Amino acid sequence: MQGTIDGFSHGPGTPVAGLLVACLGGVLGLLCAARSLRTPRPWKPGRLALGAAALGSGVWGMYLITMTGFAVEGMPIDYDRFTTLACPIVGSVMAAAGIFVVGYRGSTPLALVTGGSVTGLSLATTHYLGMDAVRLPGRLEYDTTTVALSVLIAVVGATAALWLVVSHRGLAPVLVAGAVMGGAATGMHYAAMAALRVRVGGTGHGSESTSPTGFLAVLLIVPGLVLLVTAVVVLSEPRRAAPDRQGPGRSGSAPAGPCGHVGVPRQRMRPRRPNRGPSRTAPWGPGGDRADRTAARTSRGGSPDFHDW
């Protein structure tokens, strides 16, 4: 016997609020990732880690909000504390792995596919790990095809969002990418809920709490604080113009690439030394010995100096 599942017991406000939180986390996380592409290397890991934390907090906040509207007819619902608290940690670590790939490898197809896949799997992992924390007098079952569809939504949406960030500059692409990421997370969540079936009378787990909605509401403080700190850091950070890498004396600059590099650095040429002879004091004469010239050239060892660039 299957229980009747209601994912909108609090009305349409629950999915809308969850979508807004997921989009906010996506915008803040991807904005940190976009700025890290133009950040000196010592600061890059910190920016990427902050972006991953914001993204993971947005997804977890969306999950907590939408699950307040989850109900099964005639069944009390509770959540395992340890598993629920592990959701944002696991999701943020996986999101960090995907964002770091794109942050350090740029817009290559392999980097986008790898980073987008790992980031999308982080969205799905947050949801399914959270559902594993659900405790009720029944057994949760899933339709395999719909589960695969939910994971595909997350992976495709995350890949598209990361592609927008690394391939386009400006605030507008980041906002669009954040909306895509938030929509992918919310769409994945409700697609996964559509795959859920509750078998009444299964192996249910015991429960100690009688107010799961209050428990979820209290947990919302954590992602709220993470998103607030990220917003303060992002808004208080001074904007820096992209440096002109063409060097002095150039009238124009090349268009900026996806990672913020403007043109190619001009080669710094060393001044040419006078054509000295073997004594290093007198220049070669018109009739100088060719053997002496060859000996002087071949005596210089070592590799070329690649630091001239």
Side-chain angles (χ1 to χ4, degrees):
M1 178 179 177
Q2 291 186 359
T4 303
I5 300 175
D6 184 7
F8 306 94
S9 60
H10 293 165
T14 302
V16 172
L19 175 62
L20 292 177
V21 171
C23 291
L24 176 61
V27 169
L28 292 175
L30 294 176
L31 185 58
C32 291
R35 290 188 176 181
S36 72
L37 298 174
R38 301 182 296 275
T39 301
R41 189 169 295 271
W43 293 98
K44 184 183 288 289
R47 289 174 183 265
L48 293 175
L50 182 62
L55 179 59
S57 297
V59 176
W60 191 45
M62 178 274 300
Y63 170 80
L64 295 176
I65 292 174
T66 53
M67 288 304 290
T68 58
F70 173 71
V72 182
E73 184 180 3
M75 289 188 180
I77 299 176
D78 194 17
Y79 296 86
D80 179 74
R81 300 322 191 232
F82 177 79
T83 308
T84 304
L85 293 175
C87 290
I89 300 175
V90 175
S92 296
V93 170
M94 293 184 64
I99 291 178
F100 268 70
V101 170
V102 176
Y104 279 94
R105 295 300 179 184
S107 58
T108 62
L110 180 60
L112 283 175
V113 171
T114 304
S117 299
V118 175
T119 305
L121 289 176
S122 73
L123 308 182
T125 301
T126 301
H127 170 82
Y128 287 106
L129 185 60
M131 293 304 298
D132 186 64
V134 175
R135 300 291 182 260
L136 48 78
R139 185 175 67 253
L140 302 182
E141 299 176 349
Y142 294 92
D143 177 70
T144 305
T145 303
T146 313
V147 168
L149 177 62
S150 69
V151 175
L152 182 63
I153 291 173
V155 170
V156 172
T159 304
L162 292 175
W163 174 79
L164 284 171
V165 168
V166 301
S167 301
H168 300 80
R169 292 172 62 92
L171 181 60
V174 174
L175 295 178
V176 174
V180 171
M181 186 72 77
T186 309
M188 174 276 305
H189 171 80
Y190 281 105
M193 295 303 291
L196 178 64
R197 304 289 184 270
V198 177
R199 185 71 60 181
V200 179
T203 56
H205 297 272
S207 171
E208 298 179 358
S209 175
T210 58
S211 180
T213 302
F215 170 66
L216 297 178
V218 171
L219 289 182
L220 280 172
I221 298 175
V222 178
L225 289 176
V226 174
L227 294 178
L228 178 61
V229 170
T230 306
V232 170
V233 172
V234 169
L235 294 177
S236 62
E237 184 180 42
R239 298 186 61 182
R240 299 179 178 86
D244 183 6
R245 304 292 296 274
Q246 297 294 323
R250 301 273 180 154
S251 58
S253 60
C259 295
H261 297 297
V262 183
V264 178
R266 187 176 61 179
Q267 187 178 10
R268 300 190 299 272
M269 301 298 296
R270 295 180 177 177
R272 185 180 298 276
R273 295 181 178 179
N275 192 14
R276 298 291 182 182
S279 64
R280 313 289 296 176
T281 57
W284 292 102
D289 189 357
R290 183 176 297 274
D292 293 338
R293 292 193 183 200
T294 304
R297 290 176 180 174
T298 56
S299 61
R300 183 181 180 182
S303 60
D305 186 6
F306 291 105
H307 297 284
D308 286 342
W309 284 86

